[in-house]
Amino acid sequence: MNKKQIIKLAKKDFEKAWIESKNLVKKPHPDNAYPRLKYDIGKSHILYDTIASLREAYLRLGFNEAVNPLFIDKNDVYNQFGPEAPAVLDRCFYLAGLPRPDIGIGMDKIEYIKKLETNVTDENIEKLKEVFREYKKGDFDGDDLVLEVSNALNITNQEGLFVLEKVFPEIRELNPIASNTTLRSHMTSGWFISLENMIKQSKLPIKMFSIDRCFRREQKEDSGHLMTYHSASCVIVDDEISIDTGKAIAEGLLEYFGFSKFKFVPDEKKSKYYIPETQTEVYGYHPKLDEWVEIATFGLYSPIALSKYKIDKEVMNLGLGVERLAMVINQIKDVRELVYPQLYKKFTLDDREIATLLNYNYYPVTDDGINLMNKILTVWEANKDTNSPCEFTIFDSEDNGKFLNKNIVVKAIEEEDKTKLLGPASTNSIYIYNGNILGIPENIETTVKKVKDYPEKFDEEKIKNDIPEDTKIVYDSVKKGIPTNIRYIDALAAKVSYKIEEAILSGSNELTQRITIARSLSDVNLRLDDIAMSYINNENKLIDIRGPIFSTIKLELK
């Protein structure tokens, strides 16, 4: 019955219609069945999770958020760091840009242009000269140069690019020239610039925080250093401030992340933008880590540096590296693995993920094919242990109607004497355990499930002790692994049905499908995604689905 028929029936007999409605539920394609069907939730980056937590912690402490200047003139570095400035600037990135040169257009170049573009006139050349003059003055952006040249010469953009490359190679040979502008290496550099204006506009005390990137020209990037990092920095501005303010803020901020005890140790670095003997390292004790770790630094800004920005108030600054905090909390040893897991973190797949990457190779595509697959499976399940020689009719058009508009007969046979219709491995089930893909015999699967469901009736230790050591993984696979809900005969019935569809549509009159011994996934009509296969090979895991199947299906066209 279809939906309309069931709805109509419900008006007469609700109970019967309700029971009948279960037949509307279609069985999904095996690749879309659980556990191969999995809906993953999006995963946020640990670094940005930490930034979000730091923002929340600062806001709870009553701080307002700011975005500090990222581009810092080197003179600001001298104002803030004093005699230390050359050493600080040695670790700074300077911004550089391509110069805007005078581009001359001599007769040789005019002749070359006219040779390349025969429709170019003297008026076009004058317009081109004007374009280069405007380019020199910076009247338009460099990425518009091709368009402007093309318009001046009344040619296409592609032709304009060709003219620039061939006639004016000096543009391509330009080298960048460094400016006096640096990328911020310390958040402090931005705070001085911001506070110069904030002091004039805000009531005391001023409490601000900023979480943003800084850049340092490290000699190399390694497990502890990157050339860009995130600083989580705050300032408090008031008429009078002591270093106890820094201690209290450090405690309030870091308690949010589970730190419970704190030590405050004078910092040996003694940066010149801090008042002497106020620069302090913060160590926190985390119960989960059971150790003390250095986590932040604070100090009072020097009145000498503040005076360069006309700030006559006292300023406490506290800062910490977001990456450092994230590494400590998540117990990650390499900052590169934290920030760039796609490049440095060891690739892993759990059993559930591997299950989603295991799929059928062949599956019937028509309703007739799917019905035939189910009939094959029914006959196999009912007669798998029948002594051979034996033969069973699966489908006969005289009884079942046409198959893809053809009259056919499909039989399951075993001609060899003194065996069974199917081999003993035919009902093995695929399990995934600890990265291994294993075919588990039905009797072992049944035993393990009984032990698991009725522990009071079975001595599990005795049962496990009776299993040879090299096959204990089979027991553990059923108990702890992921069942894929795929048996060999399930996948093979799908393949045989698909091949029968293929044979009928290609005009074949007969087909014999014989499966003997399973040695690989393809032997049981399964395929593993390359991602999972690579992982299993790299980790020296197993794919063991060996076993005798010995099934034969014959198709005859009437």
Side-chain angles (χ1 to χ4, degrees), residues 19-20 41 49 55 69 84 160 175 179-180 199 202 222 251 253 270 295 339 361 379 429 432 453 504 535 540 551:
I19 293 173
E20 185 67 28
I41 61 172
D49 287 343
R55 290 184 73 246
E84 282 185 311
N175 291 315
S179 68
N180 287 328
I199 288 291
S202 306
D222 55 29
E251 178 185 61
L253 182 68
K270 296 179 173 57
I295 208 69
V339 178
N361 203 15
V379 170
S429 293
I432 300 172
D453 293 340
I504 295 298
Y535 170 75
N540 294 318
S551 69

PDB file of all heavy atoms in Angstrom, residues 19-20 41 49 55 69 84 160 175 179-180 199 202 222 251 253 270 295 339 361 379 429 432 453 504 535 540 551:
ATOM      1  N   ILE A  19      -0.609  -0.218  11.510  1.00  0.00           N
ATOM      2  CA  ILE A  19       0.307  -1.359  11.406  1.00  0.00           C
ATOM      3  C   ILE A  19       0.874  -1.464   9.992  1.00  0.00           C
ATOM      4  O   ILE A  19       2.057  -1.734   9.787  1.00  0.00           O
ATOM      5  CB  ILE A  19      -0.415  -2.661  11.810  1.00  0.00           C
ATOM      6  CG1 ILE A  19      -0.763  -2.617  13.310  1.00  0.00           C
ATOM      7  CG2 ILE A  19       0.452  -3.876  11.496  1.00  0.00           C
ATOM      8  CD1 ILE A  19      -1.632  -3.772  13.764  1.00  0.00           C
ATOM      9  N   GLU A  20       0.049  -1.226   9.000  1.00  0.00           N
ATOM     10  CA  GLU A  20       0.464  -1.327   7.597  1.00  0.00           C
ATOM     11  C   GLU A  20       1.508  -0.257   7.243  1.00  0.00           C
ATOM     12  O   GLU A  20       2.346  -0.456   6.362  1.00  0.00           O
ATOM     13  CB  GLU A  20      -0.762  -1.194   6.685  1.00  0.00           C
ATOM     14  CG  GLU A  20      -0.479  -1.390   5.209  1.00  0.00           C
ATOM     15  CD  GLU A  20      -0.064  -2.817   4.862  1.00  0.00           C
ATOM     16  OE1 GLU A  20      -0.484  -3.747   5.594  1.00  0.00           O
ATOM     17  OE2 GLU A  20       0.672  -2.991   3.874  1.00  0.00           O
ATOM     18  N   ILE A  41      29.715  16.503  13.689  1.00  0.00           N
ATOM     19  CA  ILE A  41      29.546  17.902  14.051  1.00  0.00           C
ATOM     20  C   ILE A  41      30.821  18.645  13.685  1.00  0.00           C
ATOM     21  O   ILE A  41      31.906  18.072  13.628  1.00  0.00           O
ATOM     22  CB  ILE A  41      29.251  18.065  15.559  1.00  0.00           C
ATOM     23  CG1 ILE A  41      30.422  17.521  16.404  1.00  0.00           C
ATOM     24  CG2 ILE A  41      27.957  17.375  15.930  1.00  0.00           C
ATOM     25  CD1 ILE A  41      30.287  17.834  17.875  1.00  0.00           C
ATOM     26  N   ASP A  49      39.180  28.338  20.350  1.00  0.00           N
ATOM     27  CA  ASP A  49      38.434  28.033  21.579  1.00  0.00           C
ATOM     28  C   ASP A  49      39.071  28.751  22.764  1.00  0.00           C
ATOM     29  O   ASP A  49      38.380  29.301  23.625  1.00  0.00           O
ATOM     30  CB  ASP A  49      38.436  26.522  21.848  1.00  0.00           C
ATOM     31  CG  ASP A  49      37.547  25.749  20.897  1.00  0.00           C
ATOM     32  OD1 ASP A  49      36.691  26.382  20.247  1.00  0.00           O
ATOM     33  OD2 ASP A  49      37.715  24.524  20.793  1.00  0.00           O
ATOM     34  N   ARG A  55      38.475  35.819  26.012  1.00  0.00           N
ATOM     35  CA  ARG A  55      37.585  36.970  25.857  1.00  0.00           C
ATOM     36  C   ARG A  55      36.511  36.954  26.946  1.00  0.00           C
ATOM     37  O   ARG A  55      36.211  37.982  27.566  1.00  0.00           O
ATOM     38  CB  ARG A  55      36.918  36.955  24.479  1.00  0.00           C
ATOM     39  CG  ARG A  55      37.871  37.241  23.324  1.00  0.00           C
ATOM     40  CD  ARG A  55      37.140  37.304  21.993  1.00  0.00           C
ATOM     41  NE  ARG A  55      36.353  38.532  21.884  1.00  0.00           N
ATOM     42  CZ  ARG A  55      35.031  38.570  21.837  1.00  0.00           C
ATOM     43  NH1 ARG A  55      34.330  37.437  21.911  1.00  0.00           N
ATOM     44  NH2 ARG A  55      34.389  39.714  21.717  1.00  0.00           N
ATOM     45  N   PRO A  69      46.541  48.962  17.073  1.00  0.00           N
ATOM     46  CA  PRO A  69      47.217  49.068  15.774  1.00  0.00           C
ATOM     47  C   PRO A  69      48.167  47.896  15.534  1.00  0.00           C
ATOM     48  O   PRO A  69      48.899  47.469  16.446  1.00  0.00           O
ATOM     49  CB  PRO A  69      47.981  50.390  15.874  1.00  0.00           C
ATOM     50  CG  PRO A  69      47.210  51.192  16.873  1.00  0.00           C
ATOM     51  CD  PRO A  69      46.697  50.192  17.864  1.00  0.00           C
ATOM     52  N   GLU A  84      66.719  49.499  24.160  1.00  0.00           N
ATOM     53  CA  GLU A  84      66.460  48.129  23.705  1.00  0.00           C
ATOM     54  C   GLU A  84      65.942  48.077  22.273  1.00  0.00           C
ATOM     55  O   GLU A  84      65.884  46.998  21.679  1.00  0.00           O
ATOM     56  CB  GLU A  84      65.394  47.470  24.592  1.00  0.00           C
ATOM     57  CG  GLU A  84      65.878  46.978  25.930  1.00  0.00           C
ATOM     58  CD  GLU A  84      64.763  46.243  26.658  1.00  0.00           C
ATOM     59  OE1 GLU A  84      63.644  46.774  26.738  1.00  0.00           O
ATOM     60  OE2 GLU A  84      65.024  45.126  27.137  1.00  0.00           O
ATOM     61  N   GLY A 160      46.671  43.746 -23.413  1.00  0.00           N
ATOM     62  CA  GLY A 160      47.355  44.734 -22.586  1.00  0.00           C
ATOM     63  C   GLY A 160      48.407  44.089 -21.700  1.00  0.00           C
ATOM     64  O   GLY A 160      49.515  44.629 -21.523  1.00  0.00           O
ATOM     65  N   ASN A 175      62.007  45.361  -7.487  1.00  0.00           N
ATOM     66  CA  ASN A 175      62.240  44.714  -6.198  1.00  0.00           C
ATOM     67  C   ASN A 175      61.623  45.556  -5.085  1.00  0.00           C
ATOM     68  O   ASN A 175      61.661  46.798  -5.140  1.00  0.00           O
ATOM     69  CB  ASN A 175      63.734  44.549  -5.940  1.00  0.00           C
ATOM     70  CG  ASN A 175      64.361  43.534  -6.874  1.00  0.00           C
ATOM     71  OD1 ASN A 175      63.808  42.456  -7.081  1.00  0.00           O
ATOM     72  ND2 ASN A 175      65.504  43.876  -7.463  1.00  0.00           N
ATOM     73  N   SER A 179      60.022  49.813   4.182  1.00  0.00           N
ATOM     74  CA  SER A 179      59.602  51.081   4.792  1.00  0.00           C
ATOM     75  C   SER A 179      60.048  51.102   6.250  1.00  0.00           C
ATOM     76  O   SER A 179      60.727  50.189   6.728  1.00  0.00           O
ATOM     77  CB  SER A 179      58.087  51.216   4.701  1.00  0.00           C
ATOM     78  OG  SER A 179      57.469  50.256   5.541  1.00  0.00           O
ATOM     79  N   ASN A 180      59.652  52.144   6.980  1.00  0.00           N
ATOM     80  CA  ASN A 180      59.936  52.222   8.412  1.00  0.00           C
ATOM     81  C   ASN A 180      58.811  51.615   9.248  1.00  0.00           C
ATOM     82  O   ASN A 180      58.828  51.709  10.466  1.00  0.00           O
ATOM     83  CB  ASN A 180      60.141  53.683   8.834  1.00  0.00           C
ATOM     84  CG  ASN A 180      61.458  54.235   8.339  1.00  0.00           C
ATOM     85  OD1 ASN A 180      62.437  53.500   8.217  1.00  0.00           O
ATOM     86  ND2 ASN A 180      61.493  55.532   8.038  1.00  0.00           N
ATOM     87  N   ILE A 199      43.174  58.120  27.035  1.00  0.00           N
ATOM     88  CA  ILE A 199      43.319  58.947  28.222  1.00  0.00           C
ATOM     89  C   ILE A 199      42.486  60.221  28.102  1.00  0.00           C
ATOM     90  O   ILE A 199      41.900  60.713  29.077  1.00  0.00           O
ATOM     91  CB  ILE A 199      44.812  59.313  28.437  1.00  0.00           C
ATOM     92  CG1 ILE A 199      45.600  58.085  28.915  1.00  0.00           C
ATOM     93  CG2 ILE A 199      44.969  60.457  29.424  1.00  0.00           C
ATOM     94  CD1 ILE A 199      45.249  57.638  30.311  1.00  0.00           C
ATOM     95  N   SER A 202      38.332  58.925  28.129  1.00  0.00           N
ATOM     96  CA  SER A 202      37.730  57.949  29.043  1.00  0.00           C
ATOM     97  C   SER A 202      37.914  58.355  30.495  1.00  0.00           C
ATOM     98  O   SER A 202      38.918  58.983  30.878  1.00  0.00           O
ATOM     99  CB  SER A 202      38.354  56.565  28.820  1.00  0.00           C
ATOM    100  OG  SER A 202      38.266  56.181  27.467  1.00  0.00           O
ATOM    101  N   ASP A 222      60.003  26.140  15.255  1.00  0.00           N
ATOM    102  CA  ASP A 222      60.200  24.801  15.806  1.00  0.00           C
ATOM    103  C   ASP A 222      59.072  24.495  16.773  1.00  0.00           C
ATOM    104  O   ASP A 222      58.025  25.167  16.765  1.00  0.00           O
ATOM    105  CB  ASP A 222      61.582  24.679  16.473  1.00  0.00           C
ATOM    106  CG  ASP A 222      61.818  25.759  17.531  1.00  0.00           C
ATOM    107  OD1 ASP A 222      60.823  26.228  18.136  1.00  0.00           O
ATOM    108  OD2 ASP A 222      62.986  26.129  17.754  1.00  0.00           O
ATOM    109  N   GLU A 251      45.312  36.257  38.791  1.00  0.00           N
ATOM    110  CA  GLU A 251      44.558  35.226  39.502  1.00  0.00           C
ATOM    111  C   GLU A 251      43.140  35.102  38.939  1.00  0.00           C
ATOM    112  O   GLU A 251      42.673  34.007  38.621  1.00  0.00           O
ATOM    113  CB  GLU A 251      44.496  35.559  40.985  1.00  0.00           C
ATOM    114  CG  GLU A 251      43.692  34.563  41.815  1.00  0.00           C
ATOM    115  CD  GLU A 251      43.566  35.000  43.259  1.00  0.00           C
ATOM    116  OE1 GLU A 251      42.981  36.083  43.493  1.00  0.00           O
ATOM    117  OE2 GLU A 251      44.038  34.269  44.140  1.00  0.00           O
ATOM    118  N   LEU A 253      41.970  36.005  36.062  1.00  0.00           N
ATOM    119  CA  LEU A 253      41.952  35.546  34.671  1.00  0.00           C
ATOM    120  C   LEU A 253      42.214  34.051  34.572  1.00  0.00           C
ATOM    121  O   LEU A 253      41.513  33.316  33.864  1.00  0.00           O
ATOM    122  CB  LEU A 253      43.007  36.322  33.870  1.00  0.00           C
ATOM    123  CG  LEU A 253      43.108  36.023  32.376  1.00  0.00           C
ATOM    124  CD1 LEU A 253      41.856  36.500  31.650  1.00  0.00           C
ATOM    125  CD2 LEU A 253      44.349  36.687  31.776  1.00  0.00           C
ATOM    126  N   LYS A 270      63.668  42.107  32.421  1.00  0.00           N
ATOM    127  CA  LYS A 270      63.725  43.541  32.735  1.00  0.00           C
ATOM    128  C   LYS A 270      63.603  44.427  31.500  1.00  0.00           C
ATOM    129  O   LYS A 270      64.529  45.163  31.122  1.00  0.00           O
ATOM    130  CB  LYS A 270      65.018  43.867  33.493  1.00  0.00           C
ATOM    131  CG  LYS A 270      65.106  43.181  34.856  1.00  0.00           C
ATOM    132  CD  LYS A 270      66.395  43.514  35.568  1.00  0.00           C
ATOM    133  CE  LYS A 270      66.394  42.970  36.991  1.00  0.00           C
ATOM    134  NZ  LYS A 270      66.170  41.525  37.081  1.00  0.00           N
ATOM    135  N   ILE A 295      52.894  31.111  32.904  1.00  0.00           N
ATOM    136  CA  ILE A 295      51.725  31.302  32.059  1.00  0.00           C
ATOM    137  C   ILE A 295      51.505  32.752  31.637  1.00  0.00           C
ATOM    138  O   ILE A 295      50.822  33.014  30.643  1.00  0.00           O
ATOM    139  CB  ILE A 295      50.465  30.749  32.775  1.00  0.00           C
ATOM    140  CG1 ILE A 295      49.430  30.293  31.752  1.00  0.00           C
ATOM    141  CG2 ILE A 295      49.892  31.749  33.750  1.00  0.00           C
ATOM    142  CD1 ILE A 295      49.839  29.067  30.987  1.00  0.00           C
ATOM    143  N   VAL A 339      48.755  24.739  16.274  1.00  0.00           N
ATOM    144  CA  VAL A 339      48.252  25.752  15.352  1.00  0.00           C
ATOM    145  C   VAL A 339      47.957  25.170  13.976  1.00  0.00           C
ATOM    146  O   VAL A 339      46.954  25.511  13.353  1.00  0.00           O
ATOM    147  CB  VAL A 339      49.261  26.915  15.237  1.00  0.00           C
ATOM    148  CG1 VAL A 339      48.766  27.956  14.237  1.00  0.00           C
ATOM    149  CG2 VAL A 339      49.489  27.549  16.601  1.00  0.00           C
ATOM    150  N   ASN A 361      31.021  -2.403  -3.069  1.00  0.00           N
ATOM    151  CA  ASN A 361      31.603  -2.148  -4.383  1.00  0.00           C
ATOM    152  C   ASN A 361      30.519  -2.140  -5.459  1.00  0.00           C
ATOM    153  O   ASN A 361      30.432  -1.221  -6.271  1.00  0.00           O
ATOM    154  CB  ASN A 361      32.671  -3.206  -4.694  1.00  0.00           C
ATOM    155  CG  ASN A 361      33.663  -2.730  -5.720  1.00  0.00           C
ATOM    156  OD1 ASN A 361      33.739  -1.541  -6.010  1.00  0.00           O
ATOM    157  ND2 ASN A 361      34.417  -3.654  -6.278  1.00  0.00           N
ATOM    158  N   VAL A 379      17.288 -17.331   0.187  1.00  0.00           N
ATOM    159  CA  VAL A 379      17.609 -18.723  -0.155  1.00  0.00           C
ATOM    160  C   VAL A 379      18.914 -19.143   0.501  1.00  0.00           C
ATOM    161  O   VAL A 379      19.024 -20.243   1.049  1.00  0.00           O
ATOM    162  CB  VAL A 379      17.665 -18.900  -1.681  1.00  0.00           C
ATOM    163  CG1 VAL A 379      18.240 -20.276  -2.048  1.00  0.00           C
ATOM    164  CG2 VAL A 379      16.277 -18.721  -2.297  1.00  0.00           C
ATOM    165  N   SER A 429      30.858 -11.811   9.893  1.00  0.00           N
ATOM    166  CA  SER A 429      30.497 -10.390   9.970  1.00  0.00           C
ATOM    167  C   SER A 429      31.751  -9.529  10.064  1.00  0.00           C
ATOM    168  O   SER A 429      32.750  -9.941  10.665  1.00  0.00           O
ATOM    169  CB  SER A 429      29.608 -10.118  11.192  1.00  0.00           C
ATOM    170  OG  SER A 429      28.350 -10.753  11.051  1.00  0.00           O
ATOM    171  N   ILE A 432      35.286  -3.710  13.093  1.00  0.00           N
ATOM    172  CA  ILE A 432      36.461  -2.841  13.085  1.00  0.00           C
ATOM    173  C   ILE A 432      36.872  -2.613  14.529  1.00  0.00           C
ATOM    174  O   ILE A 432      36.071  -2.174  15.358  1.00  0.00           O
ATOM    175  CB  ILE A 432      36.168  -1.500  12.388  1.00  0.00           C
ATOM    176  CG1 ILE A 432      35.743  -1.763  10.944  1.00  0.00           C
ATOM    177  CG2 ILE A 432      37.396  -0.598  12.419  1.00  0.00           C
ATOM    178  CD1 ILE A 432      35.252  -0.558  10.206  1.00  0.00           C
ATOM    179  N   ASP A 453      25.782 -10.433  27.314  1.00  0.00           N
ATOM    180  CA  ASP A 453      24.396 -10.219  27.735  1.00  0.00           C
ATOM    181  C   ASP A 453      24.050 -10.971  29.020  1.00  0.00           C
ATOM    182  O   ASP A 453      23.167 -10.538  29.770  1.00  0.00           O
ATOM    183  CB  ASP A 453      23.440 -10.640  26.621  1.00  0.00           C
ATOM    184  CG  ASP A 453      23.547  -9.742  25.400  1.00  0.00           C
ATOM    185  OD1 ASP A 453      24.052  -8.609  25.535  1.00  0.00           O
ATOM    186  OD2 ASP A 453      23.148 -10.180  24.300  1.00  0.00           O
ATOM    187  N   ILE A 504      21.865  -8.967 -18.103  1.00  0.00           N
ATOM    188  CA  ILE A 504      20.597  -8.840 -18.829  1.00  0.00           C
ATOM    189  C   ILE A 504      20.625  -7.620 -19.740  1.00  0.00           C
ATOM    190  O   ILE A 504      20.256  -7.677 -20.926  1.00  0.00           O
ATOM    191  CB  ILE A 504      19.413  -8.741 -17.845  1.00  0.00           C
ATOM    192  CG1 ILE A 504      19.265 -10.042 -17.043  1.00  0.00           C
ATOM    193  CG2 ILE A 504      18.123  -8.404 -18.573  1.00  0.00           C
ATOM    194  CD1 ILE A 504      18.971 -11.260 -17.884  1.00  0.00           C
ATOM    195  N   TYR A 535      45.937   4.836   6.014  1.00  0.00           N
ATOM    196  CA  TYR A 535      46.117   4.847   7.462  1.00  0.00           C
ATOM    197  C   TYR A 535      46.432   3.446   7.983  1.00  0.00           C
ATOM    198  O   TYR A 535      47.361   3.254   8.780  1.00  0.00           O
ATOM    199  CB  TYR A 535      44.866   5.392   8.148  1.00  0.00           C
ATOM    200  CG  TYR A 535      44.870   5.212   9.643  1.00  0.00           C
ATOM    201  CD1 TYR A 535      45.659   6.011  10.457  1.00  0.00           C
ATOM    202  CD2 TYR A 535      44.101   4.218  10.251  1.00  0.00           C
ATOM    203  CE1 TYR A 535      45.682   5.837  11.830  1.00  0.00           C
ATOM    204  CE2 TYR A 535      44.112   4.040  11.620  1.00  0.00           C
ATOM    205  CZ  TYR A 535      44.903   4.850  12.407  1.00  0.00           C
ATOM    206  OH  TYR A 535      44.929   4.663  13.772  1.00  0.00           O
ATOM    207  N   ASN A 540      50.412  -0.255  10.238  1.00  0.00           N
ATOM    208  CA  ASN A 540      50.604  -1.713  10.310  1.00  0.00           C
ATOM    209  C   ASN A 540      49.409  -2.436  10.953  1.00  0.00           C
ATOM    210  O   ASN A 540      49.577  -3.373  11.749  1.00  0.00           O
ATOM    211  CB  ASN A 540      51.889  -2.053  11.083  1.00  0.00           C
ATOM    212  CG  ASN A 540      53.131  -1.589  10.354  1.00  0.00           C
ATOM    213  OD1 ASN A 540      53.237  -1.724   9.145  1.00  0.00           O
ATOM    214  ND2 ASN A 540      54.062  -1.011  11.096  1.00  0.00           N
ATOM    215  N   SER A 551      30.337 -20.131  -2.976  1.00  0.00           N
ATOM    216  CA  SER A 551      28.949 -19.939  -3.423  1.00  0.00           C
ATOM    217  C   SER A 551      28.927 -19.855  -4.943  1.00  0.00           C
ATOM    218  O   SER A 551      29.838 -19.301  -5.557  1.00  0.00           O
ATOM    219  CB  SER A 551      28.367 -18.652  -2.823  1.00  0.00           C
ATOM    220  OG  SER A 551      28.999 -17.522  -3.378  1.00  0.00           O
TER     221      SER A 551
END
